[in-house]
C-alpha cells in the first residue's frame, strides 16, 4: 500500500499503529503501518511528526519528497543503518576511475536506446491493422534508433569528459528520433511542442516530468538499499546536489514505466488538468503517481521469467553493486519488452 499526500496544509501523524493524514479537524486518510510500503509527499506545506519518521525508519518504509511543481524528487528518508555499506561505496567510487565506469555508462545508455526502440515497436504493434503506414514508420524509426548502438559500444578507455560526451551524443541522437516518433502516437489536441524538461509549460511534458520524478524516488531507494551512493554516477557527471547514479539507472526504466503508462493514458482520454498558474492540479498529480506505482507492480520478462518491474529495478541496483565489487563479470542493462 502506498500513501500519497498531495494537499497543502495537511499533517501526518502516528496513531495506534496507523499513519493518519489530517487537515484541520478532518481525517483524510489512515493506513496501518504494517501494510504500508512507502509514503510520497507531493505537496508543499505538509507537516510530519517525528513519530512518523521513527516508525517508518524502524519498519523500513521510505518517505519520498517530490516537488509539487514538476515532480522532481528532492529527498528520501530511510533508516540511517542501511546507508552504511562502506565496502560497496568505496568500490563504486573506484569504478569511476577505471574501465568499469565506462562499461556501466555504456550499459545505461544502451539500455535506454534499446527500450526506446522497443517502446516504438510496442506502439506500432497496436496500429498494424488500423494504420499500416504509421506502423511501418514506427518500425523503421525503431531500427534507426538502434543505429546508435554500434558506435556507442565502440567507445574505449575510461570515463573522461570526452568519452562521457561521446556517449551522451549517441544517446541524444537516438532520443531525438524517439521523441519525434512519440509526437505521432499521442493526441494532437495536447499541442505537444516536443520534448522539454525544465520549465515545460505544456501538459504532456509536465506529466512526463512528474512521472519521471515519481520513478526517480523509487530508483533512489533501490540504490540505497543496494548499498550504493545515489549521487556518484557514471553516465551523468557528478555535480553537488545532482543524484547522478539515480539518473543513470533511471534511464533503463523511463520507457517501460513512465512513457508506456502516460502514452497509454492520454490515448485513452485521460485528461491532464492544469491549475490557473499553469501547473498540474492535485488530482492529475495523484493519478499519475498512482499509475506509475501500479506499473511498477506489473511484470516484464527478466532473466528468463516474468517478474514485477519493482523487483527488476531492485535487482538491477544490486547488479551494479556486485559488478563494482568484482563479484559479477559484466553488467547488463534492463530492456523493456514489446
Amino acid at each position: 500500500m502506498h500513501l500519497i499526500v498531495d494537499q497543502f496544509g495537511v499533517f501526518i501523524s502516528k496513531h495506534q499503529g496507523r499513519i493518519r493524514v489530517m487537515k484541520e479537524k478532518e481525517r483524510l486518510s489512515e493506513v496501518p503501518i504494517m501494510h504500508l510500503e512507502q509514503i510520497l509527499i507531493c505537496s508543499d506545506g505538509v507537516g510530519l511528526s517525528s513519530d512518523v519518521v521513527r516508525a517508518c525508519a524502524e519498519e523500513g518504509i521510505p518517505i519520498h519528497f517530490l516537488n509539487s511543481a514538476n515532480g522532481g524528487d528532492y529527498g528520501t528518508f530511510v533508516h540511517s543503518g542501511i546507508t552504511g555499506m562502506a565496502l560497496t561505496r568505496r568500490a563504486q567510487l573506484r569504478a569511476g576511475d577505471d574501465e568499469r565506469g565506462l562499461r556501466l555508462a555504456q550499459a545505461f545508455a544502451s539500455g535506454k536506446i534499446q527500450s526506446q526502440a522497443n517502446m516504438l515497436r510496442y506502439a506500432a504493434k497496436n496500429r498494424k491493422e488500423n494504420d499500416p503506414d504509421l506502423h511501418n514508420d514506427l518500425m523503421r524509426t525503431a531500427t534507426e534508433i538502434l543505429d546508435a548502438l554500434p558506435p556507442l559500444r565502440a567507445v574505449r578507455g575510461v570515463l573522461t569528459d570526452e568519452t562521457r560526451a561521446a556517449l551522451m551524443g549517441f544517446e541524444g541522437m537516438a532520443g531525438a528520433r524517439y521523441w519525434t516518433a512519440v509526437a505521432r502516437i499521442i493526441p494532437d489536441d495536447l499541442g505537444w511542442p516536443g520534448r522539454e524538461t525544465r520549465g515545460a509549460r505544456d501538459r504532456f511534458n509536465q506529466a512526463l516530468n512528474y512521472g519521471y520524478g515519481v520513478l526517480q524516488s523509487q530508483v533512489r531507494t533501490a540504490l540505497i538499499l543496494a548499498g550504493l551512493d545515489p549521487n556518484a554516477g557514471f553516465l551523468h557527471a557528478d555535480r553537488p546536489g545532482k543524484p547522478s547514479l539515480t539518473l543513470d539507472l533511471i534511464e533503463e526504466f523511463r520507457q517501460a514505466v513512465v512513457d508506456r503508462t502516460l502514452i497509454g493514458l492520454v490515448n485513452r482520454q485521460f485528461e491532464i488538468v492544469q491549475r490557473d498558474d499553469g501547473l498540474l492540479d492535485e488530482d492529475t498529480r495523484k493519478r499519475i503517481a498512482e499509475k506509475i506505482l501500479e506499473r511498477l507492480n506489473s511484470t516484464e520478462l527478466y532473466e528468463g521469467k516474468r517478474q514485477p518491474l519493482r523487483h527488476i529495478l531492485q535487482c538491477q541496483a544490486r547488479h551494479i553493486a556486485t559488478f563494482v565489487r568484482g563479484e559479477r563479470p559484466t553488467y547488463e542493462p534492463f530492456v523493456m519488452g514489446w
Side-chain angles (χ1 to χ4, degrees):
M1 182 178 293
H2 313 285
L3 178 60
I4 300 174
V5 181
D6 63 348
Q7 289 192 40
F8 182 92
V10 305
F11 186 76
I12 308 172
S13 62
K14 176 177 174 286
H15 180 73
Q16 296 181 347
R18 304 171 77 87
I19 301 298
R20 177 179 290 177
V21 182
M22 302 285 295
K23 187 167 187 178
E24 297 177 349
K25 295 184 179 181
E26 180 185 2
R27 186 185 305 176
L28 301 181
S29 60
E30 191 169 272
V31 180
I33 294 174
M34 65 182 296
H35 295 156
L36 190 60
E37 293 183 25
Q38 59 185 314
I39 299 175
L40 275 76
I41 298 177
C42 312
S43 175
D44 298 329
V46 174
L48 185 67
S49 79
S50 59
D51 287 346
V52 171
V53 175
R54 180 171 182 172
C56 288
E58 290 174 345
E59 297 299 324
I61 301 167
I63 306 174
H64 303 293
F65 293 86
L66 276 67
N67 188 308
S68 60
N70 58 24
D73 163 37
Y74 63 86
T76 296
F77 279 162
V78 292
H79 194 292
S80 58
I82 68 173
T83 65
M85 301 178 71
L87 179 64
T88 298
R89 294 198 173 198
R90 286 173 180 158
Q92 176 185 355
L93 296 176
R94 287 195 298 267
D97 295 325
D98 59 38
E99 70 281 355
R100 290 174 298 168
L102 180 61
R103 286 158 64 189
L104 281 168
Q106 286 171 313
F108 297 135
S110 170
K112 179 180 182 178
I113 290 168
Q114 292 176 80
S115 287
Q116 286 177 331
N118 283 356
M119 178 65 221
L120 296 185
R121 289 168 171 160
Y122 174 79
K125 180 173 61 175
N126 297 325
R127 292 165 172 81
K128 187 172 184 179
E129 300 299 328
N130 60 6
D131 195 342
D133 289 340
L134 179 56
H135 168 271
N136 293 336
D137 286 348
L138 291 174
M139 294 298 286
R140 181 168 54 252
T141 302
T143 300
E144 292 170 350
I145 284 173
L146 295 178
D147 290 343
L149 289 180
L152 182 146
R153 291 167 173 165
V155 177
R156 294 288 184 266
V158 298
L159 268 181
T160 63
D161 290 342
E162 291 74 19
T163 54
R164 183 180 285 113
L167 299 181
M168 296 294 278
F170 296 128
E171 181 200 26
M173 290 168 54
R177 287 171 168 162
Y178 172 73
W179 290 115
T180 298
V182 167
R184 302 187 62 191
I185 58 175
I186 60 175
D188 292 337
D189 60 13
L190 287 172
W192 193 51
R195 182 70 184 117
E196 295 177 358
T197 53
R198 293 181 181 178
R201 302 299 296 176
D202 71 283
R203 293 177 293 159
F204 189 59
N205 273 315
Q206 287 181 351
L208 284 170
N209 294 340
Y210 199 83
Y212 292 148
V214 174
L215 176 58
Q216 185 171 312
S217 69
Q218 309 302 297
V219 174
R220 181 200 297 270
T221 301
L223 292 169
I224 292 172
L225 291 175
L228 294 157
D229 183 346
N231 297 316
F234 301 96
L235 179 62
H236 292 83
D238 296 334
R239 285 205 311 266
K242 181 179 179 180
S244 300
L245 187 61
T246 304
L247 298 176
D248 284 352
L249 183 56
I250 199 176
E251 301 291 20
E252 299 180 18
F253 293 88
R254 289 183 188 272
Q255 281 67 50
V257 178
V258 179
D259 295 7
R260 175 173 161 172
T261 299
L262 289 177
I263 291 171
L265 282 174
V266 297
N267 280 308
R268 293 192 297 271
Q269 286 76 53
F270 170 68
E271 187 177 4
I272 302 173
V273 181
Q274 293 174 313
R275 305 181 312 209
D276 292 340
D277 61 2
L279 300 177
L280 300 178
D281 74 356
E282 290 179 1
D283 288 343
T284 299
R285 295 199 311 267
K286 185 173 184 178
R287 181 85 183 277
I288 290 171
E290 289 172 344
K291 290 299 182 180
I292 296 302
L293 296 175
E294 284 178 18
R295 175 62 182 151
L296 281 165
N297 289 329
S298 62
T299 62
E300 286 269 341
L301 186 63
Y302 179 76
E303 296 184 343
K305 61 181 180 180
R306 297 197 67 84
Q307 303 187 49
L309 277 162
R310 186 179 302 281
H311 175 70
I312 296 170
L313 171 58
Q314 190 62 66
C315 286
Q316 288 297 102
R318 289 173 180 151
H319 289 349
I320 295 170
T322 53
F323 175 69
V324 298
R325 291 200 305 263
E327 299 165 13
R328 175 178 294 271
T330 61
Y331 173 82
E332 297 296 331
F334 165 72
V335 177
M336 72 172 285
W338 64 280

